[in-house]
mmCIF file of all heavy atoms in Angstrom:
data_model
loop_
_atom_site.group_PDB
_atom_site.id
_atom_site.type_symbol
_atom_site.label_atom_id
_atom_site.label_comp_id
_atom_site.label_asym_id
_atom_site.label_seq_id
_atom_site.Cartn_x
_atom_site.Cartn_y
_atom_site.Cartn_z
ATOM 1 N N ILE X 128 -11.266 5.792 2.073
ATOM 2 C CA ILE X 128 -11.453 4.340 2.153
ATOM 3 C C ILE X 128 -12.879 3.965 2.000
ATOM 4 O O ILE X 128 -13.192 2.965 1.323
ATOM 5 C CB ILE X 128 -10.812 3.851 3.477
ATOM 6 C CG1 ILE X 128 -9.304 3.897 3.336
ATOM 7 C CG2 ILE X 128 -11.307 2.417 3.776
ATOM 8 C CD1 ILE X 128 -8.545 3.071 4.253
ATOM 9 N N CYS X 129 -13.763 4.781 2.539
ATOM 10 C CA CYS X 129 -15.186 4.366 2.438
ATOM 11 C C CYS X 129 -15.746 4.497 1.041
ATOM 12 O O CYS X 129 -16.821 3.912 0.726
ATOM 13 C CB CYS X 129 -15.982 5.182 3.465
ATOM 14 S SG CYS X 129 -15.572 4.738 5.198
ATOM 15 N N GLY X 130 -15.114 5.238 0.187
ATOM 16 C CA GLY X 130 -15.582 5.371 -1.241
ATOM 17 C C GLY X 130 -14.767 4.537 -2.201
ATOM 18 O O GLY X 130 -14.903 4.638 -3.405
ATOM 19 N N ARG X 131 -13.859 3.698 -1.674
ATOM 20 C CA ARG X 131 -12.928 2.970 -2.598
ATOM 21 C C ARG X 131 -13.618 1.771 -3.240
ATOM 22 O O ARG X 131 -14.298 1.017 -2.620
ATOM 23 C CB ARG X 131 -11.721 2.549 -1.812
ATOM 24 C CG ARG X 131 -10.848 1.507 -2.542
ATOM 25 C CD ARG X 131 -9.459 1.383 -1.982
ATOM 26 N NE ARG X 131 -9.376 0.903 -0.622
ATOM 27 C CZ ARG X 131 -8.283 0.796 0.051
ATOM 28 N NH1 ARG X 131 -7.091 1.184 -0.517
ATOM 29 N NH2 ARG X 131 -8.264 0.327 1.255
ATOM 30 N N PHE X 132 -13.332 1.525 -4.537
ATOM 31 C CA PHE X 132 -13.708 0.287 -5.170
ATOM 32 C C PHE X 132 -12.662 -0.050 -6.272
ATOM 33 O O PHE X 132 -11.914 0.928 -6.694
ATOM 34 C CB PHE X 132 -15.133 0.246 -5.729
ATOM 35 C CG PHE X 132 -15.447 1.284 -6.793
ATOM 36 C CD1 PHE X 132 -15.434 0.901 -8.124
ATOM 37 C CD2 PHE X 132 -15.753 2.603 -6.464
ATOM 38 C CE1 PHE X 132 -15.790 1.830 -9.086
ATOM 39 C CE2 PHE X 132 -16.098 3.528 -7.464
ATOM 40 C CZ PHE X 132 -16.115 3.119 -8.778
ATOM 41 N N THR X 133 -12.514 -1.264 -6.671
ATOM 42 C CA THR X 133 -11.500 -1.605 -7.669
ATOM 43 C C THR X 133 -12.122 -2.448 -8.777
ATOM 44 O O THR X 133 -13.123 -3.115 -8.600
ATOM 45 C CB THR X 133 -10.353 -2.389 -7.055
ATOM 46 O OG1 THR X 133 -10.894 -3.546 -6.413
ATOM 47 C CG2 THR X 133 -9.528 -1.644 -6.082
ATOM 48 N N CYS X 134 -11.480 -2.421 -9.940
ATOM 49 C CA CYS X 134 -11.945 -3.278 -11.057
ATOM 50 C C CYS X 134 -11.600 -4.719 -10.701
ATOM 51 O O CYS X 134 -10.449 -5.016 -10.322
ATOM 52 C CB CYS X 134 -11.222 -2.854 -12.300
ATOM 53 S SG CYS X 134 -11.504 -3.958 -13.681
ATOM 54 N N ALA X 135 -12.564 -5.595 -10.838
ATOM 55 C CA ALA X 135 -12.347 -7.047 -10.539
ATOM 56 C C ALA X 135 -11.384 -7.703 -11.527
ATOM 57 O O ALA X 135 -10.725 -8.675 -11.157
ATOM 58 C CB ALA X 135 -13.669 -7.750 -10.509
ATOM 59 N N SER X 136 -11.304 -7.145 -12.745
ATOM 60 C CA SER X 136 -10.388 -7.782 -13.741
ATOM 61 C C SER X 136 -9.002 -7.276 -13.638
ATOM 62 O O SER X 136 -8.057 -8.048 -13.675
ATOM 63 C CB SER X 136 -10.894 -7.567 -15.177
ATOM 64 O OG SER X 136 -12.306 -7.532 -15.203
ATOM 65 N N CYS X 137 -8.828 -5.966 -13.598
ATOM 66 C CA CYS X 137 -7.392 -5.458 -13.707
ATOM 67 C C CYS X 137 -6.939 -4.759 -12.444
ATOM 68 O O CYS X 137 -5.727 -4.447 -12.322
ATOM 69 C CB CYS X 137 -7.291 -4.469 -14.868
ATOM 70 S SG CYS X 137 -8.030 -2.827 -14.551
ATOM 71 N N GLY X 138 -7.788 -4.581 -11.426
ATOM 72 C CA GLY X 138 -7.331 -4.038 -10.133
ATOM 73 C C GLY X 138 -7.266 -2.540 -10.091
ATOM 74 O O GLY X 138 -6.872 -1.920 -9.110
ATOM 75 N N GLU X 139 -7.582 -1.815 -11.213
ATOM 76 C CA GLU X 139 -7.540 -0.358 -11.205
ATOM 77 C C GLU X 139 -8.347 0.207 -9.997
ATOM 78 O O GLU X 139 -9.416 -0.326 -9.683
ATOM 79 C CB GLU X 139 -8.173 0.185 -12.554
ATOM 80 C CG GLU X 139 -8.133 1.671 -12.727
ATOM 81 C CD GLU X 139 -6.666 2.193 -13.046
ATOM 82 O OE1 GLU X 139 -5.798 1.401 -13.433
ATOM 83 O OE2 GLU X 139 -6.517 3.391 -12.812
ATOM 84 N N VAL X 140 -7.819 1.186 -9.317
ATOM 85 C CA VAL X 140 -8.432 1.727 -8.099
ATOM 86 C C VAL X 140 -9.309 2.926 -8.396
ATOM 87 O O VAL X 140 -8.842 3.849 -9.027
ATOM 88 C CB VAL X 140 -7.327 2.146 -7.053
ATOM 89 C CG1 VAL X 140 -7.968 2.496 -5.747
ATOM 90 C CG2 VAL X 140 -6.305 1.012 -6.902
ATOM 91 N N TYR X 141 -10.538 2.918 -7.937
ATOM 92 C CA TYR X 141 -11.451 3.991 -8.134
ATOM 93 C C TYR X 141 -12.003 4.559 -6.818
ATOM 94 O O TYR X 141 -11.828 3.951 -5.782
ATOM 95 C CB TYR X 141 -12.690 3.504 -9.016
ATOM 96 C CG TYR X 141 -12.257 3.129 -10.399
ATOM 97 C CD1 TYR X 141 -11.962 1.885 -10.746
ATOM 98 C CD2 TYR X 141 -12.188 4.140 -11.353
ATOM 99 C CE1 TYR X 141 -11.592 1.525 -12.049
ATOM 100 C CE2 TYR X 141 -11.780 3.819 -12.714
ATOM 101 C CZ TYR X 141 -11.547 2.522 -12.988
ATOM 102 O OH TYR X 141 -11.169 2.227 -14.255
ATOM 103 N N HIS X 142 -12.686 5.712 -6.946
ATOM 104 C CA HIS X 142 -13.402 6.272 -5.759
ATOM 105 C C HIS X 142 -14.732 6.851 -6.221
ATOM 106 O O HIS X 142 -14.787 7.496 -7.291
ATOM 107 C CB HIS X 142 -12.535 7.323 -5.130
ATOM 108 C CG HIS X 142 -13.093 7.798 -3.800
ATOM 109 N ND1 HIS X 142 -14.093 8.714 -3.672
ATOM 110 C CD2 HIS X 142 -12.703 7.485 -2.533
ATOM 111 C CE1 HIS X 142 -14.366 8.899 -2.426
ATOM 112 N NE2 HIS X 142 -13.557 8.184 -1.687
ATOM 113 N N ASP X 143 -15.788 6.645 -5.411
ATOM 114 C CA ASP X 143 -17.096 7.149 -5.760
ATOM 115 C C ASP X 143 -17.054 8.638 -6.178
ATOM 116 O O ASP X 143 -17.734 8.983 -7.205
ATOM 117 C CB ASP X 143 -18.046 6.926 -4.572
ATOM 118 C CG ASP X 143 -18.325 5.468 -4.303
ATOM 119 O OD1 ASP X 143 -18.396 4.666 -5.247
ATOM 120 O OD2 ASP X 143 -18.416 5.128 -3.099
ATOM 121 N N LEU X 144 -16.418 9.441 -5.411
ATOM 122 C CA LEU X 144 -16.371 10.878 -5.647
ATOM 123 C C LEU X 144 -15.122 11.347 -6.365
ATOM 124 O O LEU X 144 -15.132 12.204 -7.286
ATOM 125 C CB LEU X 144 -16.535 11.665 -4.358
ATOM 126 C CG LEU X 144 -17.766 11.362 -3.509
ATOM 127 C CD1 LEU X 144 -17.682 12.144 -2.204
ATOM 128 C CD2 LEU X 144 -18.981 11.793 -4.303
ATOM 129 N N PHE X 145 -13.961 10.846 -5.876
ATOM 130 C CA PHE X 145 -12.703 11.444 -6.299
ATOM 131 C C PHE X 145 -12.087 10.827 -7.550
ATOM 132 O O PHE X 145 -11.218 11.442 -8.176
ATOM 133 C CB PHE X 145 -11.648 11.348 -5.147
ATOM 134 C CG PHE X 145 -12.181 11.890 -3.847
ATOM 135 C CD1 PHE X 145 -12.041 11.214 -2.651
ATOM 136 C CD2 PHE X 145 -12.825 13.138 -3.815
ATOM 137 C CE1 PHE X 145 -12.497 11.707 -1.444
ATOM 138 C CE2 PHE X 145 -13.321 13.639 -2.568
ATOM 139 C CZ PHE X 145 -13.153 12.913 -1.427
ATOM 140 N N ARG X 146 -12.510 9.641 -7.857
ATOM 141 C CA ARG X 146 -11.921 8.971 -9.027
ATOM 142 C C ARG X 146 -12.963 8.023 -9.633
ATOM 143 O O ARG X 146 -12.791 6.824 -9.608
ATOM 144 C CB ARG X 146 -10.616 8.204 -8.584
ATOM 145 C CG ARG X 146 -9.937 7.289 -9.528
ATOM 146 C CD ARG X 146 -9.469 7.869 -10.833
ATOM 147 N NE ARG X 146 -8.676 6.914 -11.588
ATOM 148 C CZ ARG X 146 -9.076 6.421 -12.735
ATOM 149 N NH1 ARG X 146 -10.303 6.714 -13.218
ATOM 150 N NH2 ARG X 146 -8.265 5.638 -13.492
ATOM 151 N N PRO X 147 -14.031 8.620 -10.173
ATOM 152 C CA PRO X 147 -15.111 7.738 -10.703
ATOM 153 C C PRO X 147 -14.678 7.197 -12.127
ATOM 154 O O PRO X 147 -13.757 7.818 -12.730
ATOM 155 C CB PRO X 147 -16.268 8.689 -10.860
ATOM 156 C CG PRO X 147 -15.715 10.056 -10.943
ATOM 157 C CD PRO X 147 -14.366 10.032 -10.232
ATOM 158 N N CYS X 148 -15.274 6.171 -12.581
ATOM 159 C CA CYS X 148 -15.079 5.677 -13.949
ATOM 160 C C CYS X 148 -15.575 6.762 -14.875
ATOM 161 O O CYS X 148 -16.517 7.426 -14.617
ATOM 162 C CB CYS X 148 -15.849 4.378 -14.193
ATOM 163 S SG CYS X 148 -15.454 3.057 -13.233
ATOM 164 N N LYS X 149 -14.812 6.934 -16.010
ATOM 165 C CA LYS X 149 -15.232 7.967 -16.996
ATOM 166 C C LYS X 149 -16.591 7.692 -17.538
ATOM 167 O O LYS X 149 -17.440 8.540 -17.649
ATOM 168 C CB LYS X 149 -14.212 8.031 -18.130
ATOM 169 C CG LYS X 149 -12.894 8.684 -17.682
ATOM 170 C CD LYS X 149 -11.972 9.039 -18.880
ATOM 171 C CE LYS X 149 -10.729 9.703 -18.380
ATOM 172 N NZ LYS X 149 -9.545 8.866 -18.653
ATOM 173 N N VAL X 150 -16.881 6.398 -17.804
ATOM 174 C CA VAL X 150 -18.186 5.917 -18.169
ATOM 175 C C VAL X 150 -18.647 5.039 -17.026
ATOM 176 O O VAL X 150 -18.028 4.126 -16.714
ATOM 177 C CB VAL X 150 -18.198 5.130 -19.515
ATOM 178 C CG1 VAL X 150 -19.625 4.613 -19.832
ATOM 179 C CG2 VAL X 150 -17.660 5.960 -20.613
ATOM 180 N N GLU X 151 -19.773 5.460 -16.411
ATOM 181 C CA GLU X 151 -20.205 4.697 -15.188
ATOM 182 C C GLU X 151 -20.336 3.215 -15.483
ATOM 183 O O GLU X 151 -20.911 2.833 -16.442
ATOM 184 C CB GLU X 151 -21.522 5.306 -14.729
ATOM 185 C CG GLU X 151 -21.710 5.015 -13.209
ATOM 186 C CD GLU X 151 -23.114 5.381 -12.691
ATOM 187 O OE1 GLU X 151 -23.674 6.389 -13.241
ATOM 188 O OE2 GLU X 151 -23.611 4.645 -11.800
ATOM 189 N N GLY X 152 -19.716 2.448 -14.553
ATOM 190 C CA GLY X 152 -19.857 0.957 -14.642
ATOM 191 C C GLY X 152 -18.882 0.326 -15.636
ATOM 192 O O GLY X 152 -18.965 -0.896 -15.855
#
Side-chain angles (χ1 to χ4, degrees):
I128 287 200
C129 293
R131 168 162 64 184
F132 62 100
T133 54
C134 172
S136 323
C137 75
E139 185 73 20
V140 187
Y141 293 95
H142 189 280
D143 293 323
L144 301 175
F145 308 134
R146 170 59 173 114
C148 300
K149 288 193 179 113
V150 177
E151 203 187 327

